[in-house]
């Protein structure tokens, strides 16, 4: 299900660029297809659906009725929210520097010569520079040994001027990724993927040291858009360790009633249709149709998928997991792709690095 | 929501006996109450409901139709399954002893003089003796210091003949429970509550060293009853660290589509009604009604709740979270209380202790 994911959800994961000739790529949302269950879903749900008073309408009538309302969802502007967060972080960093003379530091370990990885690392460095975080980088050759990578991590673990450590993924195939990631000190694991962090995230009454960046960004977008989470039905589509699962745990911590939909879910559209809040992180272009959405739902679209586009200079354009032009007519709010969750990931990485420095120096 | 839980779900948690005069206690299930949503749920769900062919039946007709079928769920006999598991464990222990001369050992640390805690520890010792596990026990006075408890744990952590360590809960109020529990070596944490274990349980591609005993018992009951989990809709009622949350993670690992219902869930009955599999762990006597259950669902009832019963010599009897006499007419299978999940917890503790010894001695 996640074969086409194309975003840097882990903040340390290099995008997996797939061949653009892939037959699965779709130009646009497929035509609306109203199967019998849709009629069922709309007529039997308890959702308010004010422009439909007669339950036995034929599907075609439903379409016309919906189109006639010209409902347009609020667009959640992740780029603008991320900019605001970066500004807040810059202010906090300046305040800490002035008060106790400490500047947060983020170290990145890059192994090999993947161009996309190098681009991500460069973007992270730029983002750090812009808010006043010190960047440290070790670039090791593709042929390095596991021990050399581990030694670099140990050095950063022991370096008091480093408050966050990222190992840029993917690592060369001869290395044990789990072993290397686990060697990052838990108090500097700004990606938040250490099982100890995830365990604390899952447990009531425990606090993780760091929340993984992309899911944290999703929740931050909901908060800053004034979306109430408590008591709402939330569906997370996708159960990856880096987005879906931690996003579900976060929604649960905020008192939503959460269901995770995954590749083994039967009739996922029926489950998704029940949700007040949807976070989609599967990496399938335009998978979620307008007809799958409960009217008024809020949608956070994490997927960033390439689809062929001969009119684009690059030959492709990026779309989300959600068929934007359809859902925008049904949802109350939706994140665009690009410009939705994407910009939030690096903002949350900066936020985690700042939190780490504050915690280490007991500064609040 | 969990105020009345009364079972030893943690395998190290002493039951919280509540005053039996509590006004919340109920003698039996409340009368069936068919609210309008039930008619909705039954008539609109895609569930096969063979004895109801006309969707617009009135509620009263539904009841009569259902009663006429005399549907009776299969009773999942936890006592008998647990006995079988204990026998299998005894065989394995004998085989290991003969092959490599190693006998698994379980250490229990009991602090204070709570009678219920003493009873639980005694029962665990008996269960260990019966399968051939060596028992170790330290009994410290109520006035012990935290350091004395920590020292006992350290001793057992270092003792090669001990493969599992349990700290009997609750601890005296002057002690930091989290600190003490975290001092149990992860490789001997047979309760499986360490955040590192829970994190691994939550993550795809990671394996916990131990699965918490009660949730493990629930899944084992499903497996041994031939219930397919993959692709099914499962609802877990309750989100405690010791049962609800790990049970949901386990169901998710088995490819169910899982929703956790909790005290902040709106209209929980509507969510529960969608489930093919229900695990209830809230500790509310008879909370889940027959009308909340999808026909043919499988129900695992973890709650063990006391209700007043003047006819019982003790003045009370034990019932589950689920209104047994109602759901037995709707479900396809259900665990009784007592005699369902209860006996499984100690069986799983023995199983975890055996697994630990096997892992430490690389015996399979």
């Amino acid at each position: 299900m996640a074969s086409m994911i194309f975003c840097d959800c882990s903040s340390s994961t290099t995008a997996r660029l797939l061949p653009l000739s892939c037959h699965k790529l779709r130009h646009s949302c497929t035509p609306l297809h109203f199967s019998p269950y849709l009629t069922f879903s709309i007529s039997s749900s308890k959702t308010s659906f004010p422009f439909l008073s007669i339950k036995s309408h034929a599907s075609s009538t439903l379409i016309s009725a919906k189109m006639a309302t010209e409902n347009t969802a609020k667009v959640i502007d992740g780029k603008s929210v991320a900019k605001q967060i970066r500004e807040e972080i810059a202010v906090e960093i300046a305040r800490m520097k002035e008060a106790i003379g400490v500047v947060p530091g983020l170290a990145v370990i890059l192994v090999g010569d993947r161009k996309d990885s190098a681009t991500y690392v460069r973007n992270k460095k730029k983002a750090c520079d812009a808010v006043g975080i010190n960047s440290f980088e070790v670039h090791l050759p593709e042929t390095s040994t596991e021990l050399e990578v581990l030694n670099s991590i140990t050095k950063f673990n022991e370096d008091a001027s480093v408050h966050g450590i990222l190992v840029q993924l993917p690592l060369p195939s001869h290395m044990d990724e789990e072993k290397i990631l686990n060697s990052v000190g838990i108090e500097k694991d700004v990606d938040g993927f250490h099982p100890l962090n995830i365990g604390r995230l899952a447990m009531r009454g425990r606090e993780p040291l760091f929340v993984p960046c992309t899911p944290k960004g999703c929740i931050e977008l909901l908060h800053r858009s004034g979306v109430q989470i408590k008591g709402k039905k939330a569906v997370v589509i996708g159960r990856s360790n880096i987005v879906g699962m931690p996003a579900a745990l976060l929604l649960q911590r905020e008192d939503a009633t959460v269901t995770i939909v995954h590749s083994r879910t039967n009739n996922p559209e029926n489950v998704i249709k029940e949700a007040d809040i949807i976070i989609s992180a599967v990496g399938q272009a335009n998978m979620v149709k307008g007809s799958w959405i409960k009217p008024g739902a809020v949608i956070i679209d994490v997927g960033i998928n390439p689809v062929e586009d001969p009119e684009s200079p690059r030959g492709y354009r990026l779309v989300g997991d959600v068929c934007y032009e359809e859902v925008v007519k049904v949802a109350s709010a939706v994140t665009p792709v690009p410009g939705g969750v994407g910009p939030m990931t690096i903002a949350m990485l900066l936020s985690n690095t700042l939190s780490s420095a504050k915690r280490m120096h007991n500064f609040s």
Side-chain angles (χ1 to χ4, degrees), chain A residues 75-92:
Chain A
V75 177
I76 299 176
D77 183 353
K79 206 170 161 184
S80 147
V81 173
K83 183 170 173 281
Q84 193 189 330
I85 291 171
R86 288 198 310 270
E87 285 166 6
E88 292 165 8
I89 290 170
V91 169
E92 277 296 283

Side-chain angles (χ1 to χ4, degrees), chain A residues 21-88:
Chain A
S21 59
C22 173
H23 69 279
K24 281 185 185 172
L25 299 184
R26 275 171 285 182
H27 288 262
S28 63
C29 303
T30 49
L32 280 167
H33 171 69
F34 287 86
S35 60
Y37 71 80
L38 176 71
T39 315
F40 148 72
S41 301
I42 291 179
S43 64
S44 63
S45 87
K46 297 181 90 183
T47 314
S48 71
F49 205 58
F51 46 92
L52 275 176
S53 55
I54 305 168
K55 284 187 175 182
S56 57
H57 269 331
S59 303
S60 57
T61 320
L62 299 187
I63 303 168
S64 319
K66 191 156 51 181
M67 299 227 161
T69 64
E70 286 294 334
N71 183 15
T72 299
K74 176 187 161 193
V75 177
I76 299 176
D77 183 353
K79 206 170 161 184
S80 147
V81 173
K83 183 170 173 281
Q84 193 189 330
I85 291 171
R86 288 198 310 270
E87 285 166 6
E88 292 165 8

